[in-house]
Structure formats: structure tokens, C-alpha cells
């Protein structure tokens, strides 16, 4: 039986899509989760997927806040994610500081769009207890909310939302890069250990090929254009900003602990008595901690 792999269909997923096309369903089946990491975590919890390739911060905060639905098993993208701060085309907001005490749009509770809003608030000196959110499910709901005035802004990955900027439907008033590597891999505790290891080992070969110098300059641009329709210059700019791991089975311990430290300062998680332990977050039969 093939592993059910939950993912978000964005340019970051290109190596995974190439893997799936070659695999033809023999070992993996892709399950698209357009609402993002909040939806991925929900589907892990409901046993609708076995594996999720998802954002670092909500995966870690979910476990820190008590979820037993999944453990971390590997890495996917080692560079930060650049989150655009996005407002309506005719809104009154001109800079991030204007958003204080307003309602921020998010896709789901516990999603990356919410955790990064807390990080933005922390950087601005806002109290996390005073931040207000409205759930709008997906990118279309978020865009509608900033243009009908029900929210002031929302946060989403820069290049994913740039087509709406280029069309004039939204405005960018800032950006907040993640202070951690952006994507990790998580799995249900009941998932087959050997199948997970094989999946990550094979994914590493596709990631390595995608991340190679020769593919960056030719094949990757063509592939992303064909799958996502982005402009060539945007793709080349993104390719200069992104890196993938040499081995998807590896997670540096510092990634987990440093992320927890920042999320605690931002009010997203609360450290238990005695502090957090790395082993509480990972599946040791699969992952290699460094």
C-alpha cells in the first residue's frame, strides 16, 4: 500500500511532484491540501494522510501544544520562507505597524499564517493576547477578506501571492522571513517505518537533482512554468533564495530548539516545567538528529 503524502501545491513542491510522476503510484499517493499546514495537520489527525510536508513552525508548535497525531521525520527546505504581509488594494494600511489592534486573516487556527502573524507581532512589540484573527480557509477567502474590510491583512508566501500583486488585487506592505528553515516532514506514529525511510531516501535524490546548479538554470524554470504559470524572472529570483537538504532524513537539533525558543517568546507555545526535549518531537526510528 502506497504512503499518502499530504502537500501544498506550490513551487516548493516541485521535487515531490517530479518524484510522484516517476513513481506512478507504486509507493506514494499525493493528497493536495490547498489550505496549507493547518489542513495538513488536521488530515494527519483524522488519518486521511500518512505523511505531511509542511511548515516548520506550526508542525513544531502543534507537538509543543500537546498533539500526539504526528512526529517529525525529516527535512524538506533548509532556507527561510519569505512571508509577504498583504492588504487590500484600497485599504488604509501602508505599513506593518498600522496593523496593530486590527483583525488579521488566517487560513486555519494553528496554521503558518497564524504562527507567523504572532512572530510579526513579537517583532513589533505587540502583546500576543491582544491579537485578533479571522479564519478564512484558503487564499481566495483571505484575499476577499482584505478587500471587503473584514480583515486588515494576512500573511502568505511571497512568490505564491505575487500574481495577485501583479494583477492589482492586493498590495504588499512588508515581509517577515521565518527565523528558521521553512519546511519539515512529519508522519503519523502508526506509519510503516521502513516505508517512511524509503520515501525520504528517494525524495532526497529528487531534491538533490532539483537543487543542482545545472537544473537551476534550465530544467527547473521550465518545470515550474509548466506546473504553476509563474513568470520566468520570478522563478529565477525564487531559485536564488531557496535551498534543499542533502539528506531529507536529517533534522538538526538546533532547528527544533531554536524554533521553540522563538515561538515561546512570540506567545505561540509555553515551555513545560523542565523545558522541551528534542526527542519528544521526532520519530527516532526514522530521523537522523545532528
Amino acid at each position: 500500500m502506497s504512503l499518502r503524502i499530504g502537500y501544498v501545491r506550490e513551487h516548493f513542491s516541485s521535487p515531490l511532484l517530479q518524484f510522484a510522476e516517476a513513481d506512478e503510484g507504486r509507493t506514494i499517493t499525493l493528497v493536495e491540501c490547498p489550505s496549507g499546514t493547518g489542513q495538513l495537520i488536521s488530515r494527519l489527525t483524522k488519518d486521511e494522510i500518512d505523511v505531511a510536508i509542511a511548515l516548520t513552525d506550526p508542525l513544531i508548535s502543534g507537538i509543543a501544544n500537546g498533539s500526539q497525531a504526528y512526529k517529525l521525520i525529516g527535512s524538506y527546505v533548509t532556507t527561510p520562507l519569505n512571508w509577504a504581509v498583504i492588504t487590500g488594494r484600497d485599504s488604509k494600511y501602508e505599513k506593518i505597524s498600522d496593523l496593530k489592534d486590527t483583525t488579521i486573516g488566517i487560513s486555519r487556527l494553528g496554521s503558518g499564517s497564524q504562527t507567523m502573524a504572532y512572530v510579526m507581532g513579537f517583532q513589533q512589540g505587540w502583546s500576543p493576547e491582544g491579537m485578533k484573527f479571522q479564519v478564512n480557509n484558503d487564499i481566495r477567502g483571505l484575499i476577499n477578506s482584505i478587500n471587503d474590510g473584514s480583515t486588515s491583512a494576512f500573511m502568505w508566501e511571497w512568490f505564491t501571492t505575487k500574481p495577485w500583486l501583479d494583477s492589482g488585487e492586493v498590495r504588499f506592505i512588508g515581509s517577515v522571513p521565518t527565523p528558521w528553515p521553512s519546511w519539515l516532514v512529519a508522519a503519523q506514529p502508526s506509519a510503516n517505518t521502513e516505508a517512511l525511510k524509503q520515501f525520504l531516501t528517494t525524495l532526497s535524490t529528487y531534491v538533490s537533482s532539483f537543487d543542482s546548479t545545472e537544473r537551476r538554470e534550465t530544467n527547473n524554470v521550465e518545470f515550474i512554468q509548466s506546473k504553476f504559470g509563474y513568470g520566468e524572472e520570478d522563478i529565477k529570483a525564487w531559485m536564488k533564495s531557496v535551498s534543499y537538504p542533502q539528506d531529507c532524513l536529517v533534522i538538526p537539533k538546533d532547528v527544533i530548539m531554536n524554533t521553540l525558543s522563538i515561538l515561546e517568546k512570540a506567545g505561540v507555545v509555553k515551555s513545560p516545567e523542565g523545558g522541551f526535549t528534542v526527542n519528544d518531537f521526532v520519530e527516532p526510528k526514522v530521523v537522523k538528529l545532528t
Side-chain angles (χ1 to χ4, degrees), residues 102-266:
T102 65
T103 300
I104 306 294
I106 60 174
S107 58
R108 291 184 180 223
L109 295 173
S111 67
S113 57
Q114 185 177 36
T115 57
M116 280 306 296
Y118 277 120
V119 171
M120 177 179 69
F122 168 65
Q123 293 177 351
Q124 294 289 318
W126 304 339
S127 168
E129 291 80 11
M131 294 187 69
K132 296 175 289 187
F133 300 101
Q134 178 176 300
V135 175
N136 291 309
N137 300 313
D138 55 24
I139 188 70
R140 175 42 58 191
L142 290 162
I143 291 172
N144 290 345
S145 77
I146 57 172
N147 281 321
D148 67 22
S150 57
T151 64
S152 60
F154 71 92
M155 301 178 70
W156 211 261
E157 196 274 330
W158 183 281
F159 287 103
T160 304
T161 41
K162 191 171 181 294
W164 287 280
L165 172 71
D166 293 341
S167 71
E169 193 170 356
V170 305
R171 291 186 296 116
F172 288 4
I173 58 172
S175 67
V176 183
T178 60
W180 45 68
S182 50
W183 297 80
L184 294 177
V185 187
Q188 285 193 35
S190 60
N192 181 277
T193 299
E194 291 306 313
L196 294 175
K197 290 165 113 176
Q198 184 57 53
F199 163 67
L200 290 169
T201 299
T202 306
L203 180 62
S204 296
T205 66
Y206 283 91
V207 160
S208 177
S209 175
F210 186 83
D211 208 26
S212 65
T213 301
E214 57 272 21
R215 288 192 64 89
R216 281 174 172 267
E217 295 175 355
T218 54
N219 304 50
N220 290 355
V221 174
E222 295 171 6
F223 183 85
I224 294 171
Q225 277 185 316
S226 68
K227 294 295 182 183
F228 303 100
Y230 296 158
E232 182 176 346
E233 293 307 311
D234 285 343
I235 297 169
K236 288 181 176 178
W238 173 71
M239 288 300 308
K240 290 178 181 178
S241 72
V242 68
S243 292
Y244 290 81
Q246 292 184 331
D247 185 352
C248 292
L249 284 153
V250 171
I251 301 179
K253 294 178 184 177
D254 286 349
V255 168
I256 297 172
M257 299 311 294
N258 291 344
T259 301
L260 283 167
S261 176
I262 296 167
L263 291 176
E264 186 172 12
K265 291 174 183 175

